[in-house]
Each structure stands twice: as structure tokens, then as C-alpha cells.
Amino acid sequence: MKDIVLIGKKIFFDKSRIILKSLPDENWEKDWMVMGGEWKMQDGCLIGKETGNKGGILFTRESFDKDVMMSFTASTVLPATRDVNAVFCAHWDEVTDYLGVSYVCGLNGWYNGKSGIESNSAGGFCALTSSYSYTPGKEVRMTVGAVDGHTFMVVDGELVMEYIDPAPIRGGHLGFSPYCTMMKIRDIEVREICWEKFIQSYEPEF
């Protein structure tokens, strides 16, 4: 994985220390807790299923108070075609018994096959694009996370979306959220983000 260049920031991927690694195996529940939907381990993959018009939620047991990013390999499980979703800086709402203040990112979602990141919070943003098209059933390698509210989603080494949140969400769990779909996930890594400010400027073109 190459370094991730954001507006004003550079993330050094290989220098970002791995703090959680999950393949997963039959002991997957020691690192993960089911918050919604149906979850199981099969052939080295976590399989998440939600048939309702909502997200099935899987959280890391650990809540992180530092800037972290999560890399994983994921796909829909055919005939499911949509919403390959992850969550980060995620919190649980005990009142609604559902996903609370969080960032949600995904592919082939938002009812119209869009990719992007949204803030699940009061007055939160929703940054979407139709320029990335996910092929249902295809495995992709994703890296998602936030640096001081600068959120990002990388797919197969390419930056698909970034958004600088003026009201950053701090800390929280990482996880996954198949929204009215079924997805599988494997080879999960959580890294503590190593980054620096990256000043960019234009050179004259003419």
C-alpha cells in the first residue's frame, strides 16, 4: 500500500503501526461484538447480513482514542449487490439501540449506486460520488479512517473520497455495516496513523 496523500496531509502507511490484526478465525468474537444483523465466520471471512432497511452493525470491542485507519478486503455476497460499508469513529446510541454518532463510508450505496462518506450526526455531512462504480461480488481492498476529522476512503490503492469535517467526531469503534445487504470481510488491520502536514503548491504550466 502506498502513502495516502490528502489535502494538506500525507499518511505514511508502512510507518503506521498495526495495533489490531484479524484474519478472522473461530475466535473472532474476542475482537468483535455484534450490534445488529446476523454475523458468522466462514472460510476465513466474516459474513454480515441484514435484510431490513437498516444497517447490520459489527464493532471492534476496543474503542480507540487516537487517529486510526482500518484496512480490509471485502465484497458483497451475491446475489447481494450493494452497500459495502464500514464505520469508524463510531459510537452506539443506547436510547435508539442503533448506530449513533459515527462516520459511515461505503461503495454502491445511498440507494443510487454511489460511493462516499457521511457523518451520522446532527447536522452531519454527506459526501458522495458516482465516479467510482463497484462490481458486485468482486473483492476490493479498502482503507478508511480519519485524521483530526479529515476523513478518507481508499479502494484498491486509489483515493475515492476525502472530506474535512468542520465538526470532527473524536475516538470510537471501527467496524462494518451491511445496509440491507450481505457482505464478507477478511484480512482486517487497524493501524495507528502516522502522518505529517504536507504543503503543496503549483509550478507554472506555461
Side-chain angles (χ1 to χ4, degrees):
M1 176 76 176
K2 61 186 179 181
D3 296 337
I4 302 170
V5 178
L6 305 174
I7 297 175
K9 299 180 179 69
K10 179 183 281 189
I11 295 172
F12 301 102
F13 189 84
D14 289 341
K15 293 181 180 179
S16 297
R17 182 172 61 94
I18 297 174
I19 54 179
L20 175 65
K21 192 175 182 71
S22 179
L23 291 177
D25 58 22
E26 64 275 4
N27 299 313
W28 64 274
E29 289 180 281
K30 69 180 175 60
D31 294 323
W32 303 93
M33 51 186 178
V34 176
M35 310 301 290
E38 301 174 26
W39 292 88
K40 64 181 180 179
M41 194 281 293
Q42 181 177 310
D43 299 327
C45 295
L46 289 173
I47 310 293
K49 177 182 178 182
E50 174 56 65
T51 57
N53 187 36
K54 58 182 179 178
I57 310 292
L58 187 71
F59 270 5
T60 53
R61 290 197 176 274
E62 182 176 356
S63 179
F64 301 91
D65 61 359
K66 60 192 73 174
D67 290 332
V68 295
M69 59 185 171
M70 178 172 64
S71 298
F72 55 94
T73 299
S75 72
T76 62
V77 178
L78 296 175
T81 62
R82 57 184 178 240
D83 285 83
V84 180
N85 295 343
V87 296
F88 52 100
C89 299
H91 301 78
W92 194 252
D93 189 325
E94 298 292 345
V95 175
T96 62
D97 193 31
Y98 192 59
L99 185 65
V101 174
S102 310
Y103 293 121
V104 181
C105 68
L107 309 177
N108 216 26
W110 289 275
Y111 307 104
N112 289 298
K114 296 179 180 178
S115 301
I117 304 171
E118 71 173 29
S119 173
N120 188 40
S121 62
F125 68 86
C126 191
L128 305 175
T129 180
S130 299
S131 63
Y132 180 88
S133 180
Y134 170 70
T135 301
K138 178 185 176 182
E139 283 195 331
V140 292
R141 186 71 180 170
M142 299 175 65
T143 298
V144 304
V147 178
D148 194 27
H150 195 151
T151 64
F152 58 91
M153 178 174 66
V154 175
V155 183
D156 288 337
E158 299 300 325
L159 182 65
V160 172
M161 180 64 63
E162 66 179 302
Y163 188 94
I164 302 173
D165 188 353
I169 301 172
R170 309 288 186 181
H173 300 271
L174 298 159
F176 304 97
S177 177
Y179 198 100
C180 195
T181 194
M182 182 161 53
M183 65 181 289
K184 64 178 180 179
I185 310 110
R186 61 179 178 85
D187 298 337
I188 307 160
E189 290 181 348
V190 176
R191 293 174 181 257
E192 183 178 354
I193 296 176
C194 174
W195 69 283
E196 68 178 16
K197 291 183 179 179
F198 186 55
I199 306 303
Q200 297 167 288
S201 61
Y202 281 128
E203 293 292 333
E205 292 182 316
F206 51 87

mmCIF file with all atom_site columns, all heavy atoms in Angstrom, residues 156-182:
data_model
loop_
_atom_site.group_PDB
_atom_site.id
_atom_site.type_symbol
_atom_site.label_atom_id
_atom_site.label_alt_id
_atom_site.label_comp_id
_atom_site.label_asym_id
_atom_site.label_entity_id
_atom_site.label_seq_id
_atom_site.pdbx_PDB_ins_code
_atom_site.Cartn_x
_atom_site.Cartn_y
_atom_site.Cartn_z
_atom_site.occupancy
_atom_site.B_iso_or_equiv
_atom_site.pdbx_formal_charge
_atom_site.auth_seq_id
_atom_site.auth_comp_id
_atom_site.auth_asym_id
_atom_site.auth_atom_id
_atom_site.pdbx_PDB_model_num
ATOM 1   N N   . ASP A 1 156 ? -8.540  -0.198  -3.449 1.00 0.00 ? 156 ASP A N   1
ATOM 2   C CA  . ASP A 1 156 ? -7.515  -0.772  -4.326 1.00 0.00 ? 156 ASP A CA  1
ATOM 3   C C   . ASP A 1 156 ? -6.410  0.243   -4.632 1.00 0.00 ? 156 ASP A C   1
ATOM 4   O O   . ASP A 1 156 ? -5.951  0.390   -5.775 1.00 0.00 ? 156 ASP A O   1
ATOM 5   C CB  . ASP A 1 156 ? -8.142  -1.299  -5.616 1.00 0.00 ? 156 ASP A CB  1
ATOM 6   C CG  . ASP A 1 156 ? -8.954  -2.564  -5.390 1.00 0.00 ? 156 ASP A CG  1
ATOM 7   O OD1 . ASP A 1 156 ? -8.696  -3.260  -4.397 1.00 0.00 ? 156 ASP A OD1 1
ATOM 8   O OD2 . ASP A 1 156 ? -9.858  -2.849  -6.210 1.00 0.00 ? 156 ASP A OD2 1
ATOM 9   N N   . GLY A 1 157 ? -5.988  0.958   -3.583 1.00 0.00 ? 157 GLY A N   1
ATOM 10  C CA  . GLY A 1 157 ? -4.860  1.874   -3.697 1.00 0.00 ? 157 GLY A CA  1
ATOM 11  C C   . GLY A 1 157 ? -5.176  3.253   -4.217 1.00 0.00 ? 157 GLY A C   1
ATOM 12  O O   . GLY A 1 157 ? -4.281  4.108   -4.281 1.00 0.00 ? 157 GLY A O   1
ATOM 13  N N   . GLU A 1 158 ? -6.425  3.521   -4.578 1.00 0.00 ? 158 GLU A N   1
ATOM 14  C CA  . GLU A 1 158 ? -6.798  4.823   -5.115 1.00 0.00 ? 158 GLU A CA  1
ATOM 15  C C   . GLU A 1 158 ? -7.743  5.549   -4.165 1.00 0.00 ? 158 GLU A C   1
ATOM 16  O O   . GLU A 1 158 ? -8.687  4.959   -3.644 1.00 0.00 ? 158 GLU A O   1
ATOM 17  C CB  . GLU A 1 158 ? -7.471  4.670   -6.485 1.00 0.00 ? 158 GLU A CB  1
ATOM 18  C CG  . GLU A 1 158 ? -6.580  4.029   -7.543 1.00 0.00 ? 158 GLU A CG  1
ATOM 19  C CD  . GLU A 1 158 ? -5.309  4.825   -7.809 1.00 0.00 ? 158 GLU A CD  1
ATOM 20  O OE1 . GLU A 1 158 ? -5.364  6.074   -7.759 1.00 0.00 ? 158 GLU A OE1 1
ATOM 21  O OE2 . GLU A 1 158 ? -4.262  4.199   -8.057 1.00 0.00 ? 158 GLU A OE2 1
ATOM 22  N N   . LEU A 1 159 ? -7.464  6.838   -3.948 1.00 0.00 ? 159 LEU A N   1
ATOM 23  C CA  . LEU A 1 159 ? -8.308  7.659   -3.083 1.00 0.00 ? 159 LEU A CA  1
ATOM 24  C C   . LEU A 1 159 ? -9.635  7.935   -3.784 1.00 0.00 ? 159 LEU A C   1
ATOM 25  O O   . LEU A 1 159 ? -9.674  8.618   -4.808 1.00 0.00 ? 159 LEU A O   1
ATOM 26  C CB  . LEU A 1 159 ? -7.590  8.964   -2.744 1.00 0.00 ? 159 LEU A CB  1
ATOM 27  C CG  . LEU A 1 159 ? -8.312  9.921   -1.798 1.00 0.00 ? 159 LEU A CG  1
ATOM 28  C CD1 . LEU A 1 159 ? -8.464  9.310   -0.409 1.00 0.00 ? 159 LEU A CD1 1
ATOM 29  C CD2 . LEU A 1 159 ? -7.549  11.250  -1.710 1.00 0.00 ? 159 LEU A CD2 1
ATOM 30  N N   . VAL A 1 160 ? -10.725 7.397   -3.232 1.00 0.00 ? 160 VAL A N   1
ATOM 31  C CA  . VAL A 1 160 ? -12.050 7.575   -3.830 1.00 0.00 ? 160 VAL A CA  1
ATOM 32  C C   . VAL A 1 160 ? -12.758 8.783   -3.241 1.00 0.00 ? 160 VAL A C   1
ATOM 33  O O   . VAL A 1 160 ? -13.488 9.500   -3.930 1.00 0.00 ? 160 VAL A O   1
ATOM 34  C CB  . VAL A 1 160 ? -12.896 6.295   -3.638 1.00 0.00 ? 160 VAL A CB  1
ATOM 35  C CG1 . VAL A 1 160 ? -14.348 6.515   -4.064 1.00 0.00 ? 160 VAL A CG1 1
ATOM 36  C CG2 . VAL A 1 160 ? -12.291 5.145   -4.432 1.00 0.00 ? 160 VAL A CG2 1
ATOM 37  N N   . MET A 1 161 ? -12.533 9.054   -1.937 1.00 0.00 ? 161 MET A N   1
ATOM 38  C CA  . MET A 1 161 ? -13.241 10.158  -1.294 1.00 0.00 ? 161 MET A CA  1
ATOM 39  C C   . MET A 1 161 ? -12.448 10.663  -0.104 1.00 0.00 ? 161 MET A C   1
ATOM 40  O O   . MET A 1 161 ? -11.841 9.880   0.633  1.00 0.00 ? 161 MET A O   1
ATOM 41  C CB  . MET A 1 161 ? -14.634 9.694   -0.829 1.00 0.00 ? 161 MET A CB  1
ATOM 42  C CG  . MET A 1 161 ? -15.473 10.749  -0.141 1.00 0.00 ? 161 MET A CG  1
ATOM 43  S SD  . MET A 1 161 ? -15.917 12.145  -1.225 1.00 0.00 ? 161 MET A SD  1
ATOM 44  C CE  . MET A 1 161 ? -16.915 11.317  -2.468 1.00 0.00 ? 161 MET A CE  1
ATOM 45  N N   . GLU A 1 162 ? -12.435 11.983  0.095  1.00 0.00 ? 162 GLU A N   1
ATOM 46  C CA  . GLU A 1 162 ? -11.947 12.591  1.319  1.00 0.00 ? 162 GLU A CA  1
ATOM 47  C C   . GLU A 1 162 ? -12.863 13.756  1.663  1.00 0.00 ? 162 GLU A C   1
ATOM 48  O O   . GLU A 1 162 ? -13.474 14.364  0.777  1.00 0.00 ? 162 GLU A O   1
ATOM 49  C CB  . GLU A 1 162 ? -10.496 13.069  1.187  1.00 0.00 ? 162 GLU A CB  1
ATOM 50  C CG  . GLU A 1 162 ? -10.273 14.203  0.218  1.00 0.00 ? 162 GLU A CG  1
ATOM 51  C CD  . GLU A 1 162 ? -8.815  14.643  0.146  1.00 0.00 ? 162 GLU A CD  1
ATOM 52  O OE1 . GLU A 1 162 ? -8.249  15.028  1.189  1.00 0.00 ? 162 GLU A OE1 1
ATOM 53  O OE2 . GLU A 1 162 ? -8.247  14.606  -0.971 1.00 0.00 ? 162 GLU A OE2 1
ATOM 54  N N   . TYR A 1 163 ? -12.971 14.037  2.935  1.00 0.00 ? 163 TYR A N   1
ATOM 55  C CA  . TYR A 1 163 ? -13.809 15.155  3.376  1.00 0.00 ? 163 TYR A CA  1
ATOM 56  C C   . TYR A 1 163 ? -13.256 15.670  4.690  1.00 0.00 ? 163 TYR A C   1
ATOM 57  O O   . TYR A 1 163 ? -12.961 14.875  5.600  1.00 0.00 ? 163 TYR A O   1
ATOM 58  C CB  . TYR A 1 163 ? -15.270 14.715  3.553  1.00 0.00 ? 163 TYR A CB  1
ATOM 59  C CG  . TYR A 1 163 ? -16.212 15.872  3.833  1.00 0.00 ? 163 TYR A CG  1
ATOM 60  C CD1 . TYR A 1 163 ? -16.893 16.501  2.797  1.00 0.00 ? 163 TYR A CD1 1
ATOM 61  C CD2 . TYR A 1 163 ? -16.403 16.352  5.128  1.00 0.00 ? 163 TYR A CD2 1
ATOM 62  C CE1 . TYR A 1 163 ? -17.747 17.566  3.035  1.00 0.00 ? 163 TYR A CE1 1
ATOM 63  C CE2 . TYR A 1 163 ? -17.260 17.414  5.374  1.00 0.00 ? 163 TYR A CE2 1
ATOM 64  C CZ  . TYR A 1 163 ? -17.923 18.020  4.338  1.00 0.00 ? 163 TYR A CZ  1
ATOM 65  O OH  . TYR A 1 163 ? -18.753 19.071  4.578  1.00 0.00 ? 163 TYR A OH  1
ATOM 66  N N   . ILE A 1 164 ? -13.115 16.989  4.792  1.00 0.00 ? 164 ILE A N   1
ATOM 67  C CA  . ILE A 1 164 ? -12.646 17.604  6.029  1.00 0.00 ? 164 ILE A CA  1
ATOM 68  C C   . ILE A 1 164 ? -13.865 18.057  6.818  1.00 0.00 ? 164 ILE A C   1
ATOM 69  O O   . ILE A 1 164 ? -14.589 18.970  6.403  1.00 0.00 ? 164 ILE A O   1
ATOM 70  C CB  . ILE A 1 164 ? -11.709 18.788  5.741  1.00 0.00 ? 164 ILE A CB  1
ATOM 71  C CG1 . ILE A 1 164 ? -10.504 18.330  4.916  1.00 0.00 ? 164 ILE A CG1 1
ATOM 72  C CG2 . ILE A 1 164 ? -11.243 19.421  7.055  1.00 0.00 ? 164 ILE A CG2 1
ATOM 73  C CD1 . ILE A 1 164 ? -9.611  19.458  4.435  1.00 0.00 ? 164 ILE A CD1 1
ATOM 74  N N   . ASP A 1 165 ? -14.109 17.406  7.932  1.00 0.00 ? 165 ASP A N   1
ATOM 75  C CA  . ASP A 1 165 ? -15.287 17.667  8.752  1.00 0.00 ? 165 ASP A CA  1
ATOM 76  C C   . ASP A 1 165 ? -15.017 18.873  9.655  1.00 0.00 ? 165 ASP A C   1
ATOM 77  O O   . ASP A 1 165 ? -14.102 18.832  10.477 1.00 0.00 ? 165 ASP A O   1
ATOM 78  C CB  . ASP A 1 165 ? -15.596 16.424  9.593  1.00 0.00 ? 165 ASP A CB  1
ATOM 79  C CG  . ASP A 1 165 ? -16.920 16.529  10.321 1.00 0.00 ? 165 ASP A CG  1
ATOM 80  O OD1 . ASP A 1 165 ? -17.546 17.611  10.280 1.00 0.00 ? 165 ASP A OD1 1
ATOM 81  O OD2 . ASP A 1 165 ? -17.331 15.528  10.941 1.00 0.00 ? 165 ASP A OD2 1
ATOM 82  N N   . PRO A 1 166 ? -15.806 19.960  9.547  1.00 0.00 ? 166 PRO A N   1
ATOM 83  C CA  . PRO A 1 166 ? -15.608 21.117  10.427 1.00 0.00 ? 166 PRO A CA  1
ATOM 84  C C   . PRO A 1 166 ? -15.998 20.843  11.879 1.00 0.00 ? 166 PRO A C   1
ATOM 85  O O   . PRO A 1 166 ? -15.648 21.615  12.770 1.00 0.00 ? 166 PRO A O   1
ATOM 86  C CB  . PRO A 1 166 ? -16.511 22.187  9.803  1.00 0.00 ? 166 PRO A CB  1
ATOM 87  C CG  . PRO A 1 166 ? -17.558 21.424  9.065  1.00 0.00 ? 166 PRO A CG  1
ATOM 88  C CD  . PRO A 1 166 ? -16.878 20.180  8.555  1.00 0.00 ? 166 PRO A CD  1
ATOM 89  N N   . ALA A 1 167 ? -16.716 19.751  12.104 1.00 0.00 ? 167 ALA A N   1
ATOM 90  C CA  . ALA A 1 167 ? -17.092 19.351  13.466 1.00 0.00 ? 167 ALA A CA  1
ATOM 91  C C   . ALA A 1 167 ? -16.652 17.904  13.672 1.00 0.00 ? 167 ALA A C   1
ATOM 92  O O   . ALA A 1 167 ? -17.479 16.987  13.662 1.00 0.00 ? 167 ALA A O   1
ATOM 93  C CB  . ALA A 1 167 ? -18.592 19.498  13.680 1.00 0.00 ? 167 ALA A CB  1
ATOM 94  N N   . PRO A 1 168 ? -15.343 17.662  13.852 1.00 0.00 ? 168 PRO A N   1
ATOM 95  C CA  . PRO A 1 168 ? -14.813 16.291  13.860 1.00 0.00 ? 168 PRO A CA  1
ATOM 96  C C   . PRO A 1 168 ? -15.415 15.411  14.951 1.00 0.00 ? 168 PRO A C   1
ATOM 97  O O   . PRO A 1 168 ? -15.671 15.866  16.078 1.00 0.00 ? 168 PRO A O   1
ATOM 98  C CB  . PRO A 1 168 ? -13.315 16.500  14.117 1.00 0.00 ? 168 PRO A CB  1
ATOM 99  C CG  . PRO A 1 168 ? -13.034 17.908  13.732 1.00 0.00 ? 168 PRO A CG  1
ATOM 100 C CD  . PRO A 1 168 ? -14.285 18.665  14.041 1.00 0.00 ? 168 PRO A CD  1
ATOM 101 N N   . ILE A 1 169 ? -15.633 14.152  14.605 1.00 0.00 ? 169 ILE A N   1
ATOM 102 C CA  . ILE A 1 169 ? -16.006 13.134  15.589 1.00 0.00 ? 169 ILE A CA  1
ATOM 103 C C   . ILE A 1 169 ? -14.714 12.546  16.139 1.00 0.00 ? 169 ILE A C   1
ATOM 104 O O   . ILE A 1 169 ? -13.808 12.195  15.390 1.00 0.00 ? 169 ILE A O   1
ATOM 105 C CB  . ILE A 1 169 ? -16.860 12.031  14.937 1.00 0.00 ? 169 ILE A CB  1
ATOM 106 C CG1 . ILE A 1 169 ? -18.128 12.626  14.324 1.00 0.00 ? 169 ILE A CG1 1
ATOM 107 C CG2 . ILE A 1 169 ? -17.211 10.950  15.957 1.00 0.00 ? 169 ILE A CG2 1
ATOM 108 C CD1 . ILE A 1 169 ? -18.928 11.634  13.497 1.00 0.00 ? 169 ILE A CD1 1
ATOM 109 N N   . ARG A 1 170 ? -14.618 12.469  17.451 1.00 0.00 ? 170 ARG A N   1
ATOM 110 C CA  . ARG A 1 170 ? -13.384 12.018  18.096 1.00 0.00 ? 170 ARG A CA  1
ATOM 111 C C   . ARG A 1 170 ? -13.535 10.608  18.648 1.00 0.00 ? 170 ARG A C   1
ATOM 112 O O   . ARG A 1 170 ? -14.540 10.271  19.277 1.00 0.00 ? 170 ARG A O   1
ATOM 113 C CB  . ARG A 1 170 ? -13.027 12.958  19.248 1.00 0.00 ? 170 ARG A CB  1
ATOM 114 C CG  . ARG A 1 170 ? -13.010 14.424  18.887 1.00 0.00 ? 170 ARG A CG  1
ATOM 115 C CD  . ARG A 1 170 ? -11.833 14.796  18.037 1.00 0.00 ? 170 ARG A CD  1
ATOM 116 N NE  . ARG A 1 170 ? -11.763 16.235  17.807 1.00 0.00 ? 170 ARG A NE  1
ATOM 117 C CZ  . ARG A 1 170 ? -10.847 16.834  17.073 1.00 0.00 ? 170 ARG A CZ  1
ATOM 118 N NH1 . ARG A 1 170 ? -9.904  16.117  16.495 1.00 0.00 ? 170 ARG A NH1 1
ATOM 119 N NH2 . ARG A 1 170 ? -10.868 18.140  16.903 1.00 0.00 ? 170 ARG A NH2 1
ATOM 120 N N   . GLY A 1 171 ? -12.529 9.782   18.423 1.00 0.00 ? 171 GLY A N   1
ATOM 121 C CA  . GLY A 1 171 ? -12.476 8.454   19.033 1.00 0.00 ? 171 GLY A CA  1
ATOM 122 C C   . GLY A 1 171 ? -13.604 7.544   18.579 1.00 0.00 ? 171 GLY A C   1
ATOM 123 O O   . GLY A 1 171 ? -14.376 7.856   17.673 1.00 0.00 ? 171 GLY A O   1
ATOM 124 N N   . GLY A 1 172 ? -13.679 6.368   19.218 1.00 0.00 ? 172 GLY A N   1
ATOM 125 C CA  . GLY A 1 172 ? -14.769 5.447   18.941 1.00 0.00 ? 172 GLY A CA  1
ATOM 126 C C   . GLY A 1 172 ? -14.321 4.114   18.363 1.00 0.00 ? 172 GLY A C   1
ATOM 127 O O   . GLY A 1 172 ? -13.129 3.815   18.271 1.00 0.00 ? 172 GLY A O   1
ATOM 128 N N   . HIS A 1 173 ? -15.299 3.320   17.992 1.00 0.00 ? 173 HIS A N   1
ATOM 129 C CA  . HIS A 1 173 ? -15.067 1.978   17.462 1.00 0.00 ? 173 HIS A CA  1
ATOM 130 C C   . HIS A 1 173 ? -14.870 2.026   15.950 1.00 0.00 ? 173 HIS A C   1
ATOM 131 O O   . HIS A 1 173 ? -15.198 3.012   15.283 1.00 0.00 ? 173 HIS A O   1
ATOM 132 C CB  . HIS A 1 173 ? -16.256 1.070   17.780 1.00 0.00 ? 173 HIS A CB  1
ATOM 133 C CG  . HIS A 1 173 ? -16.533 0.910   19.237 1.00 0.00 ? 173 HIS A CG  1
ATOM 134 N ND1 . HIS A 1 173 ? -15.953 -0.079  19.999 1.00 0.00 ? 173 HIS A ND1 1
ATOM 135 C CD2 . HIS A 1 173 ? -17.328 1.622   20.078 1.00 0.00 ? 173 HIS A CD2 1
ATOM 136 C CE1 . HIS A 1 173 ? -16.380 0.020   21.257 1.00 0.00 ? 173 HIS A CE1 1
ATOM 137 N NE2 . HIS A 1 173 ? -17.212 1.037   21.322 1.00 0.00 ? 173 HIS A NE2 1
ATOM 138 N N   . LEU A 1 174 ? -14.373 0.927   15.412 1.00 0.00 ? 174 LEU A N   1
ATOM 139 C CA  . LEU A 1 174 ? -14.330 0.675   13.983 1.00 0.00 ? 174 LEU A CA  1
ATOM 140 C C   . LEU A 1 174 ? -15.235 -0.519  13.701 1.00 0.00 ? 174 LEU A C   1
ATOM 141 O O   . LEU A 1 174 ? -15.515 -1.316  14.604 1.00 0.00 ? 174 LEU A O   1
ATOM 142 C CB  . LEU A 1 174 ? -12.913 0.350   13.526 1.00 0.00 ? 174 LEU A CB  1
ATOM 143 C CG  . LEU A 1 174 ? -11.865 1.450   13.722 1.00 0.00 ? 174 LEU A CG  1
ATOM 144 C CD1 . LEU A 1 174 ? -10.480 0.848   13.720 1.00 0.00 ? 174 LEU A CD1 1
ATOM 145 C CD2 . LEU A 1 174 ? -11.984 2.515   12.658 1.00 0.00 ? 174 LEU A CD2 1
ATOM 146 N N   . GLY A 1 175 ? -15.669 -0.651  12.466 1.00 0.00 ? 175 GLY A N   1
ATOM 147 C CA  . GLY A 1 175 ? -16.498 -1.812  12.175 1.00 0.00 ? 175 GLY A CA  1
ATOM 148 C C   . GLY A 1 175 ? -17.096 -1.787  10.784 1.00 0.00 ? 175 GLY A C   1
ATOM 149 O O   . GLY A 1 175 ? -16.596 -1.104  9.879  1.00 0.00 ? 175 GLY A O   1
ATOM 150 N N   . PHE A 1 176 ? -18.189 -2.523  10.637 1.00 0.00 ? 176 PHE A N   1
ATOM 151 C CA  . PHE A 1 176 ? -18.803 -2.728  9.331  1.00 0.00 ? 176 PHE A CA  1
ATOM 152 C C   . PHE A 1 176 ? -20.315 -2.604  9.453  1.00 0.00 ? 176 PHE A C   1
ATOM 153 O O   . PHE A 1 176 ? -20.885 -2.829  10.521 1.00 0.00 ? 176 PHE A O   1
ATOM 154 C CB  . PHE A 1 176 ? -18.430 -4.105  8.784  1.00 0.00 ? 176 PHE A CB  1
ATOM 155 C CG  . PHE A 1 176 ? -16.942 -4.302  8.710  1.00 0.00 ? 176 PHE A CG  1
ATOM 156 C CD1 . PHE A 1 176 ? -16.261 -4.969  9.713  1.00 0.00 ? 176 PHE A CD1 1
ATOM 157 C CD2 . PHE A 1 176 ? -16.218 -3.778  7.643  1.00 0.00 ? 176 PHE A CD2 1
ATOM 158 C CE1 . PHE A 1 176 ? -14.881 -5.129  9.664  1.00 0.00 ? 176 PHE A CE1 1
ATOM 159 C CE2 . PHE A 1 176 ? -14.842 -3.928  7.589  1.00 0.00 ? 176 PHE A CE2 1
ATOM 160 C CZ  . PHE A 1 176 ? -14.169 -4.606  8.599  1.00 0.00 ? 176 PHE A CZ  1
ATOM 161 N N   . SER A 1 177 ? -20.953 -2.247  8.319  1.00 0.00 ? 177 SER A N   1
ATOM 162 C CA  . SER A 1 177 ? -22.396 -2.034  8.349  1.00 0.00 ? 177 SER A CA  1
ATOM 163 C C   . SER A 1 177 ? -23.038 -2.386  7.009  1.00 0.00 ? 177 SER A C   1
ATOM 164 O O   . SER A 1 177 ? -23.331 -1.504  6.199  1.00 0.00 ? 177 SER A O   1
ATOM 165 C CB  . SER A 1 177 ? -22.708 -0.574  8.708  1.00 0.00 ? 177 SER A CB  1
ATOM 166 O OG  . SER A 1 177 ? -24.099 -0.339  8.675  1.00 0.00 ? 177 SER A OG  1
ATOM 167 N N   . PRO A 1 178 ? -23.277 -3.666  6.741  1.00 0.00 ? 178 PRO A N   1
ATOM 168 C CA  . PRO A 1 178 ? -24.035 -4.032  5.539  1.00 0.00 ? 178 PRO A CA  1
ATOM 169 C C   . PRO A 1 178 ? -25.462 -3.509  5.657  1.00 0.00 ? 178 PRO A C   1
ATOM 170 O O   . PRO A 1 178 ? -26.191 -3.897  6.565  1.00 0.00 ? 178 PRO A O   1
ATOM 171 C CB  . PRO A 1 178 ? -23.988 -5.563  5.551  1.00 0.00 ? 178 PRO A CB  1
ATOM 172 C CG  . PRO A 1 178 ? -23.753 -5.938  6.978  1.00 0.00 ? 178 PRO A CG  1
ATOM 173 C CD  . PRO A 1 178 ? -22.927 -4.845  7.565  1.00 0.00 ? 178 PRO A CD  1
ATOM 174 N N   . TYR A 1 179 ? -25.839 -2.609  4.753  1.00 0.00 ? 179 TYR A N   1
ATOM 175 C CA  . TYR A 1 179 ? -27.149 -1.960  4.834  1.00 0.00 ? 179 TYR A CA  1
ATOM 176 C C   . TYR A 1 179 ? -28.116 -2.659  3.882  1.00 0.00 ? 179 TYR A C   1
ATOM 177 O O   . TYR A 1 179 ? -28.042 -2.506  2.669  1.00 0.00 ? 179 TYR A O   1
ATOM 178 C CB  . TYR A 1 179 ? -27.033 -0.475  4.477  1.00 0.00 ? 179 TYR A CB  1
ATOM 179 C CG  . TYR A 1 179 ? -28.203 0.363   4.934  1.00 0.00 ? 179 TYR A CG  1
ATOM 180 C CD1 . TYR A 1 179 ? -28.116 1.133   6.086  1.00 0.00 ? 179 TYR A CD1 1
ATOM 181 C CD2 . TYR A 1 179 ? -29.398 0.360   4.219  1.00 0.00 ? 179 TYR A CD2 1
ATOM 182 C CE1 . TYR A 1 179 ? -29.186 1.902   6.516  1.00 0.00 ? 179 TYR A CE1 1
ATOM 183 C CE2 . TYR A 1 179 ? -30.478 1.111   4.642  1.00 0.00 ? 179 TYR A CE2 1
ATOM 184 C CZ  . TYR A 1 179 ? -30.366 1.887   5.784  1.00 0.00 ? 179 TYR A CZ  1
ATOM 185 O OH  . TYR A 1 179 ? -31.438 2.640   6.206  1.00 0.00 ? 179 TYR A OH  1
ATOM 186 N N   . CYS A 1 180 ? -29.019 -3.440  4.455  1.00 0.00 ? 180 CYS A N   1
ATOM 187 C CA  . CYS A 1 180 ? -29.997 -4.215  3.679  1.00 0.00 ? 180 CYS A CA  1
ATOM 188 C C   . CYS A 1 180 ? -29.287 -5.015  2.583  1.00 0.00 ? 180 CYS A C   1
ATOM 189 O O   . CYS A 1 180 ? -29.680 -5.006  1.417  1.00 0.00 ? 180 CYS A O   1
ATOM 190 C CB  . CYS A 1 180 ? -31.061 -3.295  3.076  1.00 0.00 ? 180 CYS A CB  1
ATOM 191 S SG  . CYS A 1 180 ? -32.522 -4.188  2.471  1.00 0.00 ? 180 CYS A SG  1
ATOM 192 N N   . THR A 1 181 ? -28.240 -5.712  2.976  1.00 0.00 ? 181 THR A N   1
ATOM 193 C CA  . THR A 1 181 ? -27.427 -6.468  2.021  1.00 0.00 ? 181 THR A CA  1
ATOM 194 C C   . THR A 1 181 ? -26.668 -7.559  2.756  1.00 0.00 ? 181 THR A C   1
ATOM 195 O O   . THR A 1 181 ? -26.880 -7.777  3.962  1.00 0.00 ? 181 THR A O   1
ATOM 196 C CB  . THR A 1 181 ? -26.453 -5.524  1.277  1.00 0.00 ? 181 THR A CB  1
ATOM 197 O OG1 . THR A 1 181 ? -25.905 -6.192  0.147  1.00 0.00 ? 181 THR A OG1 1
ATOM 198 C CG2 . THR A 1 181 ? -25.339 -5.045  2.179  1.00 0.00 ? 181 THR A CG2 1
ATOM 199 N N   . MET A 1 182 ? -25.778 -8.240  2.066  1.00 0.00 ? 182 MET A N   1
ATOM 200 C CA  . MET A 1 182 ? -24.909 -9.238  2.685  1.00 0.00 ? 182 MET A CA  1
ATOM 201 C C   . MET A 1 182 ? -23.499 -9.034  2.137  1.00 0.00 ? 182 MET A C   1
ATOM 202 O O   . MET A 1 182 ? -23.299 -8.902  0.929  1.00 0.00 ? 182 MET A O   1
ATOM 203 C CB  . MET A 1 182 ? -25.403 -10.658 2.396  1.00 0.00 ? 182 MET A CB  1
ATOM 204 C CG  . MET A 1 182 ? -24.572 -11.750 3.063  1.00 0.00 ? 182 MET A CG  1
ATOM 205 S SD  . MET A 1 182 ? -25.413 -13.362 3.209  1.00 0.00 ? 182 MET A SD  1
ATOM 206 C CE  . MET A 1 182 ? -25.926 -13.668 1.529  1.00 0.00 ? 182 MET A CE  1
#
